[in-house]
Amino acid sequence: MTFKDHFSKQAAGYAKFRPRYPQKLFDYLRSITPSRQLAWDCGTGNGQAAVGLASVFDRVIASDASEKRIANAQSHETVEYRVAPAENSGIGSETIDLIMVAQALHWFDLDRFYTEARRVLKHDGVLAASSYNLLHIKPLVVDIVNRYYYEVVGPFWPPERKLVERFADLPFPLHQIDPPKFEMTAQWNLDHLVGYLRTWSSTQRFITGRGTDPLEQITDDLGGAWGDLHQTRNVTWPLVLRVGIKGSEESPKE
């Protein structure tokens, strides 16, 4: 395996507990793409973005370097799943109308990926990359989740996690346009929140390195802050969306 695999062992949990992208996001991507024959969801994970793209594109190729994550992906009649790295997709040149990279760009070799993206995109094709960081919920719960993120499992985040925190500043060599604001929302009980925290790569690296479950350090505090354990609460994640169009006026690489 030649890629950094931080998610295969929790692939099933990732598919169950990760938040869903809003339909408005895919409707927007449809509106800015001249042709809607074929989209590529690169770094698809469990296929959430791929299925969303399938609602607005004729066909979707969804690829991931992890066989286990592809095995746990959501099936859809117009989505073709492939095991392939982002930098060497095997997709034909100038065949893709839109490339979507959802919560995955920070894992890629950016120079090689952007070369691949230019190769497979049609002349006026679109590259859209999204990312989200910490969740918004009841303030007392947010405080505990943030402490978990920075203090408990903070030392166990892969270095690439820092790129999520400064996603808006990552190099993006295509001609950029300014998209609307989007956010993901969910209605979760406490069990779902804990399941989500368990999918974090830092959580799994902590368990591997220390042999204990770091979530035990915040379980009591979370329960007290949450209140009724069966109560559902509104959870939101603001999305950072970068959108670029392939063409003659591409911005220079930073």
Side-chain angles (χ1 to χ4, degrees):
M1 183 177 293
T2 59
F3 73 103
K4 296 181 180 180
D5 187 2
H6 300 291
F7 298 100
S8 285
K9 64 182 178 182
Q10 69 264 34
Y14 198 96
K16 181 178 180 180
F17 292 112
R18 285 285 164 146
R20 309 290 171 173
Y21 294 97
Q23 183 61 40
K24 288 182 179 179
L25 170 63
F26 303 110
D27 293 339
Y28 166 72
L29 295 177
R30 177 187 182 278
S31 74
I32 63 172
T33 308
S35 175
R36 292 172 288 276
Q37 296 175 325
L38 181 60
W40 173 27
D41 180 26
C42 183
T44 191
N46 66 325
Q48 290 179 11
V51 172
L53 289 171
S55 70
V56 294
F57 284 83
D58 295 339
R59 292 177 52 237
V60 177
I61 294 172
S63 66
D64 200 282
S66 167
E67 292 186 17
K68 287 187 178 180
R69 296 186 76 185
I70 290 294
N72 281 276
Q74 303 174 56
S75 62
H76 191 281
E77 59 183 1
T78 60
V79 177
E80 176 191 348
Y81 288 103
R82 300 179 180 181
V83 178
E87 302 84 358
N88 185 19
S89 66
I91 295 172
S93 298
E94 299 185 358
T95 58
I96 299 296
D97 297 299
L98 175 132
I99 300 173
M100 180 70 183
V101 183
Q103 197 70 353
L105 188 65
H106 54 290
W107 299 117
F108 300 167
D109 180 322
L110 290 181
D111 287 340
R112 292 179 58 212
F113 169 69
Y114 287 137
T115 297
E116 181 73 347
R118 287 192 187 94
R119 182 185 69 81
V120 302
L121 278 175
K122 296 178 181 178
H123 173 72
D124 53 359
V126 175
L127 170 62
S130 67
S131 184
Y132 60 91
N133 196 13
L134 293 171
L135 56 83
H136 294 181
I137 196 175
K138 183 181 179 183
L140 288 177
V141 176
V142 166
D143 290 343
I144 296 167
V145 171
N146 287 356
R147 172 164 58 86
Y148 182 76
Y149 178 94
Y150 290 107
E151 299 177 16
V152 178
V153 297
F156 291 86
W157 282 111
E160 292 86 353
R161 180 67 193 186
K162 291 295 183 183
L163 303 182
V164 173
E165 297 174 0
R166 57 183 184 89
F167 187 76
D169 300 323
L170 285 184
F172 203 82
L174 300 184
H175 175 66
Q176 293 193 69
I177 60 175
D178 189 19
K181 300 295 184 182
F182 297 98
E183 65 179 17
M184 297 186 297
T185 63
Q187 291 290 325
W188 280 359
N189 60 25
L190 182 58
D191 284 344
H192 207 123
L193 174 62
V194 171
Y196 167 69
L197 297 177
R198 195 174 300 282
T199 69
W200 284 5
S201 57
S202 57
T203 300
Q204 296 301 316
R205 284 159 62 95
F206 185 108
I207 292 170
T208 299
R210 297 279 181 87
T212 60
D213 185 352
L215 285 165
E216 293 177 356
Q217 298 185 35
I218 64 167
T219 299
D220 291 342
D221 289 343
L222 266 183
W226 193 275
D228 181 353
L229 301 186
H230 299 291
Q231 180 179 353
T232 59
R233 297 188 180 277
N234 187 56
V235 191
T236 63
W237 297 258
L239 284 172
V240 179
L241 181 63
R242 309 281 300 275
V243 179
I245 300 175
K246 179 182 175 182
S248 59
E249 298 181 355
E250 293 184 5
S251 304
K253 186 182 300 182
E254 299 178 16

